[in-house]
Amino acid sequence: MAAAAPPPPPTAAPITLPEPTPSGHTLFTRIRLATIDDVPHIHKLIHQMAVFERLTHLFEATTASLAATLFPPNAPPPFTSFTIFLLELSSSPFPPSQNPHFTPVLKSLHLDLPIDDPEKEDFRSNANDAINDVTVGGFVLFFPNYSSFLAKPGFYIEDIFVRECYRKKGLGKRLLSAVAAQAAKMGYGRVEWVVLDWNVNAIKFYEQMGAQILPEWRICRLTGEALQAHAHVSL
Amino acid sequence: MAAAAPPPPPTAAPITLPEPTPSGHTLFTRIRLATIDDVPHIHKLIHQMAVFERLTHLFEATTASLAATLFPPNAPPPFTSFTIFLLELSSSPFPPSQNPHFTPVLKSLHLDLPIDDPEKEDFRSNANDAINDVTVGGFVLFFPNYSSFLAKPGFYIEDIFVRECYRKKGLGKRLLSAVAAQAAKMGYGRVEWVVLDWNVNAIKFYEQMGAQILPEWRICRLTGEALQAHAHVSL
């Protein structure tokens, strides 16, 4: 058995450390105000949310009805009525952009492995960007509410949704935090939303974000024929 | 022991029934859009509601903060943002009145006994009416919300309140029904509000109005320092 070759003598040459493990993948994220051009993507996202919540029997939205109600002609300014922040992702840094109502929030996301997005083509962003691989990954829909005890507006979040392949990476938190930051910036008193009581993961997530879960309140809803029954009674 | 006198013979003369009990009192009711002139009354009503709900520790509203947030300069039209219907009562019929946004709902209320209102002077209406004994009895504060599944706006009722001496006479129902009728008129999909789960009388009342109580949803609230903590994180 041959002896192992002796180790090379130490040298004064700088030790070449391995490069820091390449992060594998950096994704850049942007949160911006949605426009009417984003309605096709918003429609698909809302439908995915209905599937996730097993509520497709309640899903009636069309691209036309969403456009007409979310982006009507002479729409009021963002934040004074129904407002959507869109979450986008790109492998290239987003160029800085300006919006008179909201400066997009740009961040990045370091991943060990790249994300395989099976719907990348379907969700190619319609934003007019210099970079062309921008993908829509989620959204948050919110609007003003009001606390009469505080005599202050707040925001109510109707929907918050991140597509499946982008979940568990803190992106839902970025969307919710963007709404909270906007509320704080406007001097608003509260941000509120609802959660299903069996969705313990969501409840835990929201509590970690600093939210209180109010155990005693129940939602009352008047809809359909029961709503129409009031039409001729009072007016 | 003397025998009882025999009953009088039957006669063909018509039996004189007593007059129907006079109703004793008719109150006339009006539901109209509130204006900035109503803020002092609205402030007192909200405070009474806080007392009723045992939540005075959360009550921070002032007449100034209510006026600034509910009736700001260049306020958007009623129903597109925070909107208040005021309930008024009078012993005289209300004159017909016009409002470009909402024609007041005029009805009457027949009572066996007059209502003793210990706060009648405090709640004398500030409306500019030809009749002068108009009293503010309650209010409902509501604003648009949005269902993305329906792609339709709705109304969310933040507060509905009737002063104690006017309760249990169907007046809360008239306020709620006025909001429902307005929603139906505008083609809206839903009217929603919340109720405390221990308030069984209110729950029964709402169910009689045709409302569903949704048992599974819980409200999440981000407020105070937990809200402010997001201010510097995202933007």
Side-chain angles (χ1 to χ4, degrees):
Chain A
M1 183 174 169
T11 81
I15 298 170
T16 307
L17 288 174
E19 289 282 307
T21 307
S23 65
H25 210 66
T26 297
L27 268 182
F28 296 88
T29 66
R30 175 169 66 185
I31 292 175
R32 65 165 170 88
L33 281 170
T35 73
I36 197 167
D37 295 334
D38 301 309
V39 164
H41 291 328
I42 292 167
H43 181 257
K44 284 178 283 184
L45 291 168
I46 294 171
H47 185 261
Q48 290 193 355
M49 191 173 57
V51 171
F52 178 77
E53 294 182 352
R54 299 174 199 170
L55 292 174
T56 48
H57 57 288
L58 299 180
F59 181 79
E60 301 178 10
T62 63
T63 51
S65 62
L66 288 170
T69 52
L70 293 171
F71 302 98
N74 304 314
F79 309 121
T80 66
S81 182
F82 318 132
T83 304
I84 294 179
F85 283 158
L86 218 57
L87 167 71
E88 292 171 322
L89 305 109
S90 171
S91 58
S92 310
F94 286 92
S97 57
Q98 289 300 319
N99 178 295
H101 298 289
F102 181 73
T103 302
V105 182
L106 307 183
K107 293 199 175 187
S108 62
L109 189 65
H110 300 284
L111 303 164
D112 289 337
L113 294 170
I115 292 172
D116 179 26
D117 180 352
E119 299 173 303
K120 194 169 174 60
E121 282 309 309
D122 283 349
F123 282 95
R124 184 175 293 277
S125 173
N126 294 321
N128 186 17
D129 279 309
I131 54 175
N132 66 2
D133 77 332
V134 179
T135 304
V136 173
F139 78 112
V140 56
L141 190 164
F142 59 106
F143 47 80
N145 66 2
Y146 189 79
S147 163
S148 47
F149 286 1
L150 302 180
K152 277 186 184 177
F155 282 136
Y156 182 84
I157 298 177
E158 175 68 17
D159 299 317
I160 187 164
F161 185 77
V162 173
R163 288 204 288 122
E164 189 171 5
C165 64
Y166 296 110
R167 284 183 206 151
K168 302 196 175 176
K169 291 167 179 51
L171 297 172
K173 186 174 177 178
R174 288 189 192 179
L175 281 169
L176 203 157
S177 198
V179 177
Q182 184 67 26
K185 185 181 170 189
M186 295 173 78
Y188 284 10
R190 296 171 176 168
V191 175
E192 294 181 318
W193 62 96
V194 296
V195 66
L196 286 162
D197 65 347
W198 49 257
N199 196 347
V200 289
N201 285 336
I203 290 172
K204 194 173 164 190
F205 166 70
Y206 294 144
E207 286 179 333
Q208 285 168 349
M209 296 280 295
Q212 312 158 34
I213 315 294
L214 309 187
E216 290 186 321
W217 294 98
R218 295 292 173 273
I219 298 171
C220 305
R221 175 178 292 171
L222 195 56
T223 190
E225 290 180 14
L227 175 61
Q228 296 303 323
H230 292 272
H232 62 281
V233 175
S234 285
L235 296 181
Chain B
M1 180 173 164
T11 83
I15 298 170
T16 308
L17 289 174
E19 289 282 308
T21 309
S23 66
H25 209 67
T26 296
L27 267 182
F28 296 88
T29 66
R30 175 170 65 184
I31 292 174
R32 66 164 170 88
L33 281 170
T35 72
I36 196 166
D37 294 335
D38 301 309
V39 164
H41 291 327
I42 292 168
H43 181 257
K44 283 180 283 184
L45 291 169
I46 295 171
H47 186 260
Q48 289 193 355
M49 190 173 59
V51 170
F52 177 76
E53 294 182 352
R54 300 174 201 169
L55 291 174
T56 48
H57 57 288
L58 299 179
F59 182 79
E60 300 178 10
T62 64
T63 52
S65 61
L66 288 171
T69 52
L70 293 172
F71 302 98
N74 304 314
F79 308 120
T80 65
S81 182
F82 317 133
T83 303
I84 293 179
F85 282 159
L86 218 58
L87 166 71
E88 292 171 323
L89 305 109
S90 171
S91 58
S92 310
F94 285 92
S97 57
Q98 290 301 318
N99 178 294
H101 298 289
F102 181 73
T103 301
V105 181
L106 305 183
K107 294 199 175 186
S108 63
L109 188 65
H110 301 284
L111 302 165
D112 288 336
L113 294 170
I115 292 172
D116 179 26
D117 181 353
E119 300 172 302
K120 194 169 174 61
E121 282 308 310
D122 283 348
F123 282 94
R124 184 175 293 277
S125 174
N126 294 322
N128 185 17
D129 280 309
I131 54 176
N132 67 3
D133 77 333
V134 180
T135 304
V136 174
F139 79 112
V140 55
L141 189 164
F142 60 106
F143 47 79
N145 66 3
Y146 189 79
S147 163
S148 47
F149 286 1
L150 302 181
K152 276 186 184 175
F155 282 137
Y156 182 84
I157 297 177
E158 176 68 18
D159 299 318
I160 185 162
F161 185 77
V162 173
R163 288 204 287 122
E164 189 170 4
C165 64
Y166 296 110
R167 287 184 204 151
K168 303 193 176 176
K169 290 165 179 55
L171 297 171
K173 186 174 177 178
R174 288 188 191 179
L175 281 169
L176 203 156
S177 198
V179 178
Q182 184 66 27
K185 185 181 170 190
M186 296 173 79
Y188 283 9
R190 296 172 175 166
V191 175
E192 294 182 317
W193 62 96
V194 296
V195 66
L196 286 161
D197 65 347
W198 50 257
N199 196 345
V200 289
N201 286 337
I203 289 172
K204 194 174 164 189
F205 166 71
Y206 294 144
E207 286 179 333
Q208 285 168 349
M209 296 281 293
Q212 311 157 34
I213 314 294
L214 310 187
E216 291 187 320
W217 293 98
R218 296 293 174 274
I219 299 171
C220 306
R221 177 178 291 171
L222 194 56
T223 190
E225 290 181 13
L227 175 60
Q228 297 303 322
H230 291 272
H232 61 284
V233 173
S234 284
L235 298 181

